[in-house]
Structure formats: C-alpha cells, structure tokens
Amino acid sequence: MASSRSAVSVFDPDLADQPAVARLLDFADYEAEVPVHVHRKGQLILALHGAVTCTADDEIWIVPPNCGVWIPGGTPHSVRATVNAQLSYLFAEPGAANLPKVCCTLSISPLVRELVNRLAGEVSDYLPDSHAARLAQVTLDELAGMPREHFNLPISGDPKIRAIADALTIEPSDRSTLGDWAKRVAMSERSLARLMIRETGLTFGRWRQQLHLVVALRELASGAAVQTVADKLGYESVNAFITMFKKALGSTPAQYFAQRRVRLSQSRIKTGAIGVGDRTHNR
C-alpha cells in the first residue's frame, strides 16, 4: 500500500547551513505526488529508477536517464513520481556554486551522480573542515560544469491548459483534436487556440509535438526501442514517428544518439575526463 507521508515532511533542507546536502528517496515510502513547495536552497533532482516529472516556472520538466532537473532556490515547484521511483536530491545554498539562475535540465555525468549518492550518506550538519565538506565542494564544482539539455515543455498556470498538459503527460498517445479538448474544458476551439498560444507561445499542434519529443528522448535514452516509443506516442507507424523526429531535430533517432556519443567522446577528451565523465555539449 502506498505511504501517506509526503517527501517534504521528513526533511527540511533549509535547516542545514552547509553548502550542500543530499538525500536518497524511495517513493515506495512516500506519496507519489509532492505538493507545491519552496525552499531557500536550490535543488537538483536525479532519477535513479522509475520516472519523475517536475512542474516549475510554468513548465513541465521530465527527468530522463543521465540528466537531472535543477530548480533554483525560491522557485515554487511540485514533483510527481512513479511508485517504483528512487530519487537523489541535492540541495545547494544560493551562491555556493556557479549554478543556473533559472530552472533547466542538466546532463549529469556518472561522477556527479556517484558524488551526490555518496554525499547522501553523510550527516547534514557536517563540519566545515570535514571529509563531507570537501565532498560537497567537489560535487558542487563538478555540477557547475554540467551542460544543459532540453527536456522541458512550456505549460501555464491557467487551469485549463494545465488540465490538458496533465492528461497528455500521463497518456501521450491521446490523439484528441484541439476541438475535442475545447469541448472537454468548456471553451470554443478558437478561444482555446488563442489561450494556448498566449500561455505557451506554441500552437496546440506544436506544443503536443514538443511533448512527444520530450517523452521520446526520455524513453530512447533509457534504451527503449523506436517501435516501442512510436506505439507509446500513438503513431500509426515507425516511419511516421521517425519523420516527425527528423523534422524537429534534424536527424533520425539513431543519428541523434550517434551524434551524442561523438560529442560525449569529444567532451571527455577536452575535459580530460575519459572513463569518468559522461558529458555532452548543448545541441
């Protein structure tokens, strides 16, 4: 049976004055939905197992393998995790490292992932000259060098746009038209089209395509077959999915991930992190 405890009720990162603290969470022990909350420290969310989706800054952030979502301190956010999700949280004091000032997805190297997990085994009130303090500093220094990825989807505080976003995030294969959604949220199709552009900057068709790309990149990065992803997103054929992917990103899924491997290799050579890092450059 799922736990009735909220993950935010068992640990307050702002009670610790240290530059960085970390926690490991198994969502079999907590409610799947973490309500909107805010804290002084910035937060990095890593998925070790299962799936997690964050909502912050009027955008949906899907946490794919080898990436993490960075949420600056003072930013209201919520989290939805699958029951089997196991997450790593890293909390960093504002100004403790040169980290992004806005929400973003960061590519995370195996080294950073292991450093966060190792720091989670330390007490949160470690002394400034302790091994834990040095570990925290190395973790923050490495995290500051991680490049950004693009696994986010603009949404809105508008309840009707949010309802559509929530439904399609759960069931991305839903092929309902804009007119269908307009009826569901009690609006005219024209009014909903205008609202979508005003709130997200995208037409409904472009917005849903961006959702499909975010989900596809997450699934493909985790090792899912192209056929499986095409089916999950409701495409009639693999070719139709590949055509959409290539039109949006300029390459087929196979080419895209081959290019990522090349960039990874080049990044390792430049940083001298061969055998340690897993960096990629911005697209």
Side-chain angles (χ1 to χ4, degrees):
M1 181 179 295
S3 172
S4 60
R5 291 191 303 166
S6 172
V8 297
S9 68
V10 295
F11 176 68
D12 184 353
D14 291 343
L15 295 179
D17 295 327
Q18 283 66 20
V21 293
R23 285 290 182 274
L24 299 179
L25 295 180
D26 186 334
F27 269 76
D29 301 327
Y30 302 103
E31 293 178 339
E33 187 84 20
V34 179
V36 175
H37 61 286
V38 64
H39 32 73
R40 181 185 74 252
K41 281 182 166 64
Q43 180 177 3
L44 178 72
I45 301 176
L46 302 175
L48 306 178
H49 190 266
V52 58
T53 302
C54 308
T55 302
D57 274 356
D58 286 336
E59 294 195 76
I60 293 175
W61 305 84
I62 293 176
V63 184
N66 303 318
C67 292
V69 169
W70 169 251
I71 303 170
T75 304
H77 58 283
S78 61
V79 176
R80 177 186 296 162
T82 54
V83 176
N84 67 336
Q86 296 174 350
L87 309 183
S88 288
Y89 285 173
L90 176 72
F91 299 97
E93 277 289 323
N98 185 24
L99 293 167
K101 305 299 183 185
V102 295
C103 291
C104 60
T105 306
L106 297 174
S107 183
I108 298 297
S109 69
L111 174 60
V112 170
R113 186 178 295 269
E114 290 306 315
L115 285 170
V116 172
N117 292 344
R118 177 66 180 82
L119 186 60
E122 300 288 341
V123 296
S124 59
D125 57 350
Y126 56 81
L127 297 176
D129 60 348
S130 65
H131 171 74
R134 293 188 292 273
L135 180 64
Q137 191 58 58
V138 171
T139 303
L140 292 174
D141 288 346
E142 287 292 321
L143 179 61
M146 295 294 100
R148 296 191 190 188
E149 292 286 357
H150 305 283
F151 291 97
N152 57 299
L153 179 72
I155 49 172
S156 164
D158 182 274
K160 295 185 177 182
I161 300 297
R162 183 62 61 89
I164 295 172
D166 288 345
L168 286 176
T169 300
I170 294 171
E171 188 53 68
S173 63
D174 188 335
R175 288 291 176 166
S176 298
T177 65
L178 180 64
D180 295 332
W181 284 110
K183 292 177 183 178
R184 295 180 196 178
V185 298
M187 293 182 73
S188 71
E189 183 173 348
R190 180 174 297 179
S191 295
L192 180 57
R194 288 198 298 263
L195 180 65
M196 178 67 73
I197 292 174
R198 185 174 73 242
E199 293 293 318
T200 71
L202 300 171
T203 64
F204 175 72
R206 289 290 302 276
W207 182 90
R208 182 161 59 184
Q209 181 187 74
Q210 181 68 11
L211 170 65
H212 285 175
L213 286 170
V214 167
V215 174
L217 289 169
R218 179 192 64 185
E219 297 297 317
L220 291 168
S222 68
V226 173
Q227 176 71 66
T228 301
V229 176
D231 292 342
K232 182 181 181 70
L233 297 178
Y235 284 85
E236 295 181 356
S237 68
V238 172
N239 286 339
F241 166 71
I242 291 176
T243 297
M244 180 280 294
F245 192 99
K246 185 174 182 179
K247 184 176 180 181
L249 297 180
S251 60
T252 66
Q255 292 168 341
Y256 176 84
F257 284 96
Q259 292 162 2
R260 277 180 63 95
R261 287 191 291 272
V262 171
R263 291 196 298 269
L264 168 60
S265 177
Q266 292 173 340
S267 178
R268 284 176 171 174
I269 292 172
K270 290 179 180 179
T271 61
I274 296 177
V276 176
D278 185 22
R279 296 184 183 178
T280 57
H281 293 294
N282 292 341
R283 286 190 295 276

